[in-house]
Amino acid sequence: MMAPQKRPAEEAESLLVGVRSLLLDIEGTTTPISFVEKTLFPYVTNNIESYLNKNFENADVQKAIAALRDQAAKEKDEKVEGVVEIPSGDASKEDVIKAVIDNVKWQMGENRKTTELKALQGLIWKEAFESSEIKGELFEDVGPMLKMLAEEGFKLYVFSSASIQSQKLLFSYSNQGDLSDVFSGYFDTTTGSKRDKASYKKIATEIGHEPKDILFLTDIPEEAEAAVGAGLRSALVIRPGNEELTDENLQNFACIERFDELYGDEDEEDDIKRFAGGNGEADDDDEEEEEGDEDEEEEEEGDDA
């Protein structure tokens, strides 16, 4: 059985026509999923105990612990299975740290992406990035293309489940240098779920552009659908290590494998319709007009003969 085929973006008119702002996912879009799974997550699990012991009195750390404590208490009341509660502030430092570690490891083991978890992870990663223990990994096309897009006047934004702090760290301390100056803003799950169209409406309002003027790039079809539901344009990004897209995904959205494919050719309009969330099918009037043009061309050829 043949693998699903996408219509290549390089055969399409530029996907940037009419776009004023680009909104970018990180994991699986600008950055390999393997970097998150094999570098960032293990760093947290391997270093959380030493980090908390060293930084326990830090105000930001205490704020993150309090948020985790409140989240756990709420989920305990909701009878969430497996939730690890965190004792109050009058408990010993050792007991609090142990509970925080158990809570974080439980959440990470369940692949949860809660705002509370991301806040503490971001603090731990901050120390790693600033000490050069970790550098943000980007696909090779990302840095050059982001710089080019910014120079051409496009406004660039990030929308990721990672905390805003973590997003800034990844692009400031990347393997392609400091790219922080190409971005105009960052959004995380404090704005809302990435699979909820309301989140994208909020982002469009904050950016100050009409939704139709914003292009969202992601590797997750459900996120693309939510963005389109809010009136944005969206294209799916195919990268090594990402989950395989279905035939329906490939036909409903323009798909790119590199950011330079955003520019495409100027021959094919169907990809633009799919890029905006349509199915790329021509209207009946358009088909009749095309047939009429073909008939006229045949008559002209007959006259020339």
Side-chain angles (χ1 to χ4, degrees), residues 108-161:
M108 291 179 66
E110 295 292 320
N111 197 30
R112 305 180 90 203
K113 298 185 178 183
T114 63
T115 301
E116 294 83 358
L117 172 64
K118 294 295 180 182
L120 182 56
Q121 287 175 325
L123 292 174
I124 297 171
W125 289 329
K126 180 176 185 291
E127 186 171 87
F129 278 111
E130 291 180 345
S131 65
S132 298
E133 285 187 73
I134 293 178
K135 281 193 176 295
E137 184 178 346
L138 304 175
F139 290 108
E140 63 178 0
D141 57 290
V142 172
M145 286 304 303
L146 292 184
K147 290 178 182 178
M148 180 183 296
L149 289 164
E151 288 172 0
E152 292 185 359
F154 292 97
K155 297 295 184 182
L156 305 180
Y157 299 86
V158 177
F159 185 25
S160 170
S161 59

Side-chain angles (χ1 to χ4, degrees), residues 24-140:
L24 308 173
D25 172 47
I26 290 180
E27 186 178 356
T29 298
T30 66
T31 298
I33 291 175
S34 60
F35 173 69
V36 177
E37 294 180 343
K38 297 180 179 179
T39 299
L40 291 183
F41 286 173
Y43 187 88
V44 170
T45 55
N46 292 335
N47 292 276
I48 184 171
E49 183 174 3
S50 61
Y51 177 86
L52 289 175
N53 277 310
K54 183 172 62 173
N55 298 284
F56 188 75
E57 305 301 333
N58 179 280
D60 289 334
V61 172
Q62 283 297 312
K63 181 179 177 181
I65 291 174
L68 286 168
R69 180 184 292 118
D70 291 344
Q71 177 201 22
K74 179 175 179 290
E75 292 185 338
K76 186 71 173 181
D77 290 340
E78 295 171 350
K79 302 188 185 307
V80 174
E81 186 177 352
V83 63
V84 178
E85 291 189 278
I86 298 171
S88 61
D90 57 2
S92 69
K93 173 181 174 180
E94 291 74 17
D95 288 345
V96 172
I97 288 177
K98 181 181 184 306
V100 170
I101 293 171
D102 290 344
N103 180 287
V104 167
K105 289 185 176 180
W106 166 69
Q107 291 204 60
M108 291 179 66
E110 295 292 320
N111 197 30
R112 305 180 90 203
K113 298 185 178 183
T114 63
T115 301
E116 294 83 358
L117 172 64
K118 294 295 180 182
L120 182 56
Q121 287 175 325
L123 292 174
I124 297 171
W125 289 329
K126 180 176 185 291
E127 186 171 87
F129 278 111
E130 291 180 345
S131 65
S132 298
E133 285 187 73
I134 293 178
K135 281 193 176 295
E137 184 178 346
L138 304 175
F139 290 108
E140 63 178 0

Side-chain angles (χ1 to χ4, degrees), residues 135-203:
K135 281 193 176 295
E137 184 178 346
L138 304 175
F139 290 108
E140 63 178 0
D141 57 290
V142 172
M145 286 304 303
L146 292 184
K147 290 178 182 178
M148 180 183 296
L149 289 164
E151 288 172 0
E152 292 185 359
F154 292 97
K155 297 295 184 182
L156 305 180
Y157 299 86
V158 177
F159 185 25
S160 170
S161 59
S163 67
I164 289 174
Q165 181 185 46
S166 299
Q167 297 171 25
K168 291 179 178 179
L169 289 168
L170 186 143
F171 290 108
S172 296
Y173 299 92
S174 86
N175 57 357
Q176 296 173 20
D178 183 357
L179 297 172
S180 58
D181 60 346
V182 306
F183 292 103
S184 297
Y186 304 82
F187 301 92
D188 61 14
T189 52
T190 58
T191 296
S193 168
K194 294 179 70 184
R195 302 190 183 200
D196 183 352
K197 65 181 180 182
S199 303
Y200 299 89
K201 291 180 179 179
K202 290 180 185 177
I203 289 173

Side-chain angles (χ1 to χ4, degrees), residues 214-247:
I214 303 170
L215 164 62
F216 177 50
L217 300 179
T218 178
D219 62 309
I220 306 297
E222 292 82 2
E223 295 177 0
E225 289 166 4
V228 168
L232 280 69
R233 312 182 191 197
S234 190
L236 293 175
V237 182
I238 300 172
R239 298 288 198 181
N242 289 3
E243 286 192 21
E244 190 170 324
L245 299 175
T246 66
D247 287 306

